[in-house]
Amino acid sequence: MKKALEQLKLQVDGEEADVVEEILFDDIDLKSIPDNLKKEIEKYKNLFYLSFNDCNLNNLDNLPNLKTLIRLELSGNKFKPTELSKVAMYKELKSLSLSKTQIQNFQDLEPLKALKNLVQLELEDCPIASKEDYRKQVFDRFPSLEILDDHDKDGNVVEVDDDDFLGEDDEDIGDEEDEEEEPEPEPCLLYTSPSPRDRQKSRMPSSA
């Protein structure tokens, strides 16, 4: 508990609570989330990214109530699949990492169907990942899902970052405005300028 609170203080670094967007507790041996830590995290009302990777969590009791959360990482923990019902409260969640957990079969994923905005899911190194038709079965269960274990439905590798989950709509609007304001080339020009939106990196579409 003490180490987790120290990590929290280090990451927020005196910032106002309403501007803190991510908090990570990776590799801290918690076993469970204490009441005091839950209350501290809930002070950050605009948090969009929370990570408890490799924290030896035996349960998901006391997950903080965060209405703005869109990315949650719980990989490498020991909780039973039945604990996933406690993740279903994050209605805006788009990205969920559950690699190296005890998820055994497709039935274990049923509580996650409540996550209607889920775009990315990680289940690598879970027993379920060795099941026949694993990828098809998972994509069929989650209509909004676009990325499973860093691959799209067609098996193509997809690279994502935080910007793919936060503020993308506003960013796209800004790009469109820049395009509209770009002056037309003079008729006498002998070359064509490349588009400022000619990016190689794929952008994940935001969910409605």
Side-chain angles (χ1 to χ4, degrees):
M1 171 64 179
K2 181 179 179 181
K3 186 174 182 180
L5 289 175
E6 290 175 349
Q7 180 71 0
L8 175 59
K9 182 178 180 180
L10 180 65
Q11 291 185 59
V12 301
D13 193 26
E15 294 278 4
E16 294 292 332
D18 59 353
V19 302
V20 176
E21 296 179 337
E22 62 179 59
I23 299 176
L24 286 66
F25 296 99
D26 296 352
D27 301 309
I28 299 177
D29 189 5
L30 288 172
K31 293 185 174 61
S32 63
I33 302 171
D35 290 339
N36 288 349
L37 182 59
K38 175 181 183 289
K39 292 177 181 178
E40 285 297 316
I41 298 172
E42 288 178 343
K43 292 179 181 179
Y44 301 95
K45 302 295 185 181
N46 293 322
L47 204 68
F48 83 90
Y49 177 17
L50 179 63
S51 181
F52 286 102
N53 290 328
D54 299 303
C55 291
N56 288 322
L57 292 176
N58 295 316
N59 60 70
L60 296 179
D61 295 339
N62 279 342
L63 278 175
N65 186 2
L66 299 166
K67 295 182 179 180
T68 58
L69 197 68
I70 60 175
R71 184 171 183 177
L72 177 63
E73 299 191 0
L74 297 168
S75 296
N77 288 296
K78 301 177 180 179
F79 55 83
K80 295 180 179 180
T82 52
E83 294 291 297
L84 292 178
S85 61
K86 297 164 185 175
V87 176
M89 66 174 168
Y90 297 122
K91 302 303 183 183
E92 301 302 319
L93 202 67
K94 295 182 180 181
S95 174
L96 177 61
S97 298
L98 297 168
S99 300
K100 297 183 291 182
T101 59
Q102 299 181 33
I103 300 174
Q104 301 280 340
N105 53 60
F106 301 114
Q107 188 65 30
D108 291 339
L109 300 176
E110 286 299 304
L112 301 182
K113 285 186 174 181
L115 305 176
K116 302 300 184 182
N117 295 310
L118 192 64
V119 175
Q120 180 185 25
L121 179 62
E122 292 184 13
L123 297 170
E124 286 183 306
D125 298 319
C126 295
I128 191 177
S130 63
K131 296 285 186 181
E132 185 176 356
D133 291 332
Y134 156 67
R135 293 184 58 80
K136 181 180 185 304
Q137 291 276 358
V138 175
F139 276 116
D140 286 349
R141 278 169 167 75
F142 300 96
S144 63
L145 194 66
E146 298 180 6
I147 303 172
L148 175 61
D149 302 336
D150 297 324
H151 291 73
D152 65 16
K153 293 181 181 180
D154 297 322
N156 301 310
V157 176
V158 179
E159 295 182 2
V160 296
D161 56 33
D162 291 346
D163 289 341
D164 293 314
F165 300 109
L166 180 67
E168 186 176 1
D169 291 338
D170 293 338
E171 185 177 79
D172 288 344
I173 291 172
D175 288 343
E176 292 170 2
E177 290 175 350
D178 290 342
E179 286 182 351
E180 291 174 359
E181 294 174 0
E182 186 175 351
E184 293 291 330
E186 296 293 333
C188 62
L189 290 178
L190 300 179
Y191 65 91
T192 303
S193 300
S195 169
R197 290 177 61 86
D198 184 18
R199 304 174 180 170
Q200 293 182 354
K201 180 178 180 181
S202 299
R203 300 289 297 174
M204 182 189 308
S206 63
S207 58

